[in-house]
Amino acid sequence: MFKPKIESSFFAENRRKLASLLKPDSIAVVNSNDIMPTNADGTMRYVPNSDMFYLTGIHQEETVLLLAPSEKDEEHKEILFIRDYNPDLEVWEGKKLSPDDAGKISGIKTVLELSKFQKVLHDSLSKSENVYLNSNEHDRAELVVESREMRFIRYCMREYPLHTYCRLAPLIYSLRVIKTPVEAELLQSACDLTADGFRRLLGFVKPKVTEFEIEAELAHEFIRKGSGFADYEPIIASGENSCFLHYVKNDAVCLDGDILLLDFAAGYSNYNADMTRTIPVNGRFSKRQKQIYNSVLRAMKGTIKEMKPGNSVKDLQLVTRELIAKELVDLKLVKPADVKDIKNKSDYFKKYYPHDVSHFLGLAVHDVGYFEEPMKAGMVLTCEPGIYIREEKLGVRIENDILITKKGNRDLMENVPIEAEEIEELMNK
Ligand code: GLY
Ligand code: MN
Ligand code: MN
């Protein structure tokens, strides 16, 4: 999703901030993602590297950014390398970025073809002591496939073993975790698109629709606006499927009386929303469904109150666990003793509330950031408590996206219907 335009000054400012964090006598290199293969000669749709996008706005494979802030010559402080012009490739894939295009998008004055990279790198390395290289350091990343970044790290360390190597990721993450007003607006747009999708579904869902028909409605809503789904598979989970946290088969028929858990969102210019709503397939919550729904909603509202500067995500997790524990006791699903150890969830607790409440959001759906650190203004996080009762085929999760502000927070999804009665009303209009 690259259609909405972000001014090049945004990317230039990100590079300036990053350069200011490097030690003297340093260069930094960032690589784009590979196009991932599937079977035979098939490939996946291209997913840009979030760090590359954040620093350049470039959405094209085989791109390399070289930052050399200690260079005296202004033209050599930032160099962007893009794919060499290839007329044969153009016949198949259409136009790739020209150096001029890439310069306009990124605000970088020196854009060269990738075939020049090794020579320029060699020249830069001959003048610098430290080399900052980038890698995916997300704590939950499972790195089973070697990335272009990793190949480059191996190459660089093999060819230039006497330099001092440093980690670039923590520096970029420290910037990415705080969203600028421009980014907050992009996230708001992603949330607004998501809201449009949800409102459309409220007039569409009824008994006997299949989960994939619901997914198709959303795809139509997002794609016709030049966007698409956020960077995760939509979860359209009716009945018992609502209890499977990452259910993505989306192929069951929604039945009269079933609950329907919808965890889907739109992306906007590579920024992701992440929303969950839980609705009754037939347009009216049963008494039991509404009871559980309101328990989760209370836990959500109680948690959002604590989303403010100073508290960490870890603190928040404990807040939600306390709230959910109280609800589970009131619902007589557990005894007080079963849920008294909030830090270490008992099996009982985990059975009904197996996940935790929040993650950072941005260019990645589970964005970069550290759960132990106090929240700060500009961070965007989800709030997503849930209660899942497998024996009743009843899972409820509700999820909104929250911008931390100096005084507390702003709910980027405050206009998305959330009260049970409002949802019922809209479904029966
Ligand atoms: N949609 C994934 C999540 O809620 O974390
Ligand atoms: Mn989430
Ligand atoms: Mn979600």
Side-chain angles (χ1 to χ4, degrees):
M1 291 149 280
F2 181 55
K3 290 184 184 132
K5 182 155 163 51
I6 305 176
E7 297 298 324
S8 63
S9 56
F10 168 72
F11 306 115
E13 179 62 9
N14 293 342
R15 292 192 299 274
R16 188 198 62 71
K17 286 191 249 180
L18 181 62
S20 76
L21 298 176
L22 306 182
K23 293 186 253 188
D25 261 344
S26 298
I27 66 161
V29 181
V30 177
N31 278 272
S32 59
N33 280 348
D34 287 316
I35 297 176
M36 300 306 285
T38 55
N39 292 298
D41 64 350
T43 56
M44 291 185 166
R45 181 182 283 230
Y46 186 59
V47 178
N49 178 291
S50 300
D51 298 322
M52 175 62 84
F53 184 79
Y54 183 75
L55 295 167
T56 66
I58 299 296
H59 198 286
Q60 181 167 284
E61 69 284 357
E62 295 185 37
T63 305
V64 183
L65 172 67
L66 171 65
L67 294 178
S70 307
E71 283 276 359
K72 294 198 179 55
D73 190 342
E74 214 36 59
E75 310 253 295
H76 292 158
K77 284 182 192 289
E78 303 180 330
I79 306 179
L80 186 65
F81 297 87
I82 57 167
R83 292 188 77 145
D84 293 43
Y85 177 66
N86 177 340
D88 295 331
L89 188 71
E90 187 169 289
V91 170
W92 291 92
E93 296 188 8
K95 288 195 197 303
K96 298 280 171 179
L97 295 174
S98 69
D100 192 42
D101 296 333
K104 283 198 182 105
I105 293 167
S106 63
I108 295 174
K109 292 202 181 68
T110 310
V111 182
L112 303 176
E113 290 193 319
L114 190 57
S115 50
K116 309 241 166 53
F117 176 61
Q118 278 195 357
K119 163 108 190 39
V120 176
L121 177 73
H122 184 80
D123 185 53
S124 279
L125 283 169
S126 68
K127 291 182 266 181
S128 43
E129 181 58 39
N130 309 301
V131 187
Y132 284 82
L133 298 182
N134 199 27
S135 63
N136 180 349
E137 297 193 17
H138 191 286
D139 57 353
R140 286 200 273 170
E142 284 181 39
L143 304 170
V144 289
V145 178
E146 189 177 62
S147 64
R148 190 182 169 95
E149 296 278 27
M150 224 16 117
R151 289 200 302 278
F152 180 67
I153 290 171
R154 286 191 213 293
Y155 164 82
C156 218
M157 293 180 80
R158 189 181 67 235
E159 299 297 318
Y160 302 95
L162 299 181
H163 282 74
T164 302
Y165 286 91
C166 310
R167 292 157 60 210
L168 190 61
L171 305 184
I172 302 185
Y173 294 177
S174 72
L175 301 176
R176 272 179 53 193
V177 74
I178 306 288
K179 272 66 185 178
T180 62
V182 168
E183 291 176 290
E185 273 317 301
L186 294 165
L187 285 163
Q188 182 68 68
S189 297
C191 290
D192 293 346
L193 267 178
T194 305
D196 293 345
F198 181 55
R199 285 180 186 279
R200 176 163 167 167
L201 289 191
L202 291 174
F204 177 78
V205 169
K206 56 181 180 309
K208 299 210 178 79
V209 295
T210 306
E211 292 162 352
F212 51 64
E213 291 178 81
I214 297 171
E215 182 176 342
E217 286 292 302
L218 293 170
H220 185 257
E221 185 65 24
F222 298 157
I223 294 171
R224 81 194 176 100
K225 291 179 177 161
S227 189
F229 282 107
D231 235 344
Y232 69 95
E233 291 292 315
I235 298 167
I236 314 289
S238 62
E240 186 181 18
N241 298 332
S242 64
C243 298
F244 306 133
L245 301 179
H246 283 173
Y247 169 84
V248 290
K249 269 179 28 195
N250 301 352
D251 64 355
V253 176
C254 301
L255 302 177
D256 198 351
D258 273 356
I259 200 77
L260 175 64
L261 187 151
L262 304 157
D263 185 341
F264 69 86
Y268 191 84
S269 200
N270 290 313
Y271 283 81
N272 296 283
D274 184 6
M275 185 183 82
T276 310
R277 287 293 182 270
T278 307
I279 67 175
V281 167
N282 64 15
R284 297 267 170 224
F285 288 99
S286 70
K287 201 167 155 224
R288 179 63 166 169
Q289 288 169 349
K290 197 175 272 190
Q291 193 182 26
I292 306 301
Y293 188 88
N294 284 328
S295 286
V296 176
L297 189 56
R298 276 192 293 275
M300 182 192 212
K301 288 177 179 172
T303 305
I304 290 177
K305 277 196 197 126
E306 297 306 317
M307 298 183 74
K308 57 189 179 192
N311 283 344
S312 68
V313 174
K314 286 269 177 209
D315 295 332
L316 221 53
Q317 290 175 350
L318 299 184
V319 167
T320 316
R321 288 183 200 181
E322 290 277 7
L323 291 163
I324 293 278
K326 179 177 178 318
E327 298 293 342
L328 293 178
V329 171
D330 291 350
L331 290 163
K332 301 205 170 27
L333 287 166
V334 299
K335 299 197 182 64
D338 297 332
V339 290
K340 71 174 189 313
D341 187 357
I342 294 295
K343 283 216 167 108
N344 304 297
K345 285 205 257 179
S346 65
D347 287 345
Y348 262 115
F349 206 158
K350 276 192 213 143
K351 177 177 170 199
Y352 295 111
Y353 177 47
H355 55 81
D356 267 309
V357 75
S358 184
H359 56 80
F360 295 96
L361 190 67
L363 283 169
V365 174
H366 293 175
D367 206 23
V368 297
Y370 302 102
F371 284 6
E372 298 75 17
E373 290 181 2
M375 288 183 266
K376 291 190 188 129
M379 290 182 173
V380 176
L381 300 114
T382 63
C383 180
E384 51 181 306
I387 293 177
Y388 309 85
I389 314 172
R390 185 85 179 268
E391 52 278 21
E392 296 182 32
K393 302 185 172 139
L394 174 51
V396 174
R397 179 166 67 253
I398 316 176
E399 176 175 24
N400 276 12
D401 302 339
I402 311 291
L403 169 68
I404 306 299
T405 60
K406 277 195 188 123
K407 291 200 182 121
N409 67 60
R410 176 155 71 87
D411 188 339
L412 302 179
M413 291 182 161
E414 65 186 349
N415 296 323
V416 189
I418 199 166
E419 296 295 331
E421 293 71 23
E422 191 186 1
I423 288 170
E424 287 180 331
E425 200 184 305
L426 290 166
M427 290 186 81
N428 289 287
K429 235 179 28 194

